[in-house]
Amino acid sequence: MVGASLLFAVMGVCVKLASEQYGAGEIVMYRALVGFLLMGAVVQTRGIGFATRVPAMHFWRSLSGTTALCCWFYAIGGLPLATAMTLNYMSSVWIALFLVGGAVLMPTDRIESRIDSRLVAAVMAGFVGVALVLRPTIEQQQVWHGLIGLGSGMIAAMAYLQVTALGRVGEPEARVVLYFSLSGLIVGAGFAQFTGGFHTHTLKGALLLLATGTLATGAQWMITRAYGTGATLGIAALQYLGIVFSFAFGIFIFDEQVTGLAAAGIALIIGAGVAATLLRNRPHAPSARPDTVTPTES
């Protein structure tokens, strides 16, 4: 997950630069095209096979992941890089919120009967952090991009929970990324019609698109393996390192000014994610294993 977070942050820089020439839909499409070709070669050479026993699970994972990706790339084009990355990485807090909601709504014989109020407090603290980050965005009249970025994190959380489920049923990571790339290729081509259509390539633009696709594919492969084999919220907390990387890139590459409120919000979100992970993964019974996913997490 640490490696995936770094690659995603570098990819965010490429997307930010590419958005000066291409629309969000175009970037999603070309990113997915590179991923589909790379993963297709991996699946073929490793003899994994393209057929799956769980097509419905792949459909929902691909749909949610592609939608989140489109929203994220759109937000990156209109927001400071650190802000856009922070809103997307809110997926970890959304995951915690979904799990708390599941604990409330599901029958007590299928989940732990006690809900840790400290976990709920950590989740709410994360939302306070989002409000602090969004405040400078509102002042810059970028409310729409901020809301889209916030939505990208929520939908990404759904996609990551689906990735966890696919890992539990034994789906190879390469096949998961392959279907996700195929979905991005189709949806991105359609989304491009609403974000400026298609543009003529330049050498710089083509290299940025190639770099975006290559970095994203490597990161997606890593993150799929991480969520498929690790404890969901423990992995989600490490994902917050992407905010730190993007924070630095935004300052040193794009000369972005970071206000005290935005910095406080980012720190609060990171702290809330780490706290939620520590509280959620703490076993409630002696027999519980902290390195495994509880029934509500799967």
Side-chain angles (χ1 to χ4, degrees), residues 80-91:
L81 180 61
T83 302
M85 296 291 287
T86 299
L87 294 176
N88 182 259
Y89 278 103
M90 270 293 296
S91 58

Side-chain angles (χ1 to χ4, degrees), residues 248-265:
F249 289 149
I251 295 174
F252 293 108
I253 296 179
F254 299 106
D255 196 27
E256 295 176 352
Q257 300 300 315
V258 182
T259 65
L261 284 176

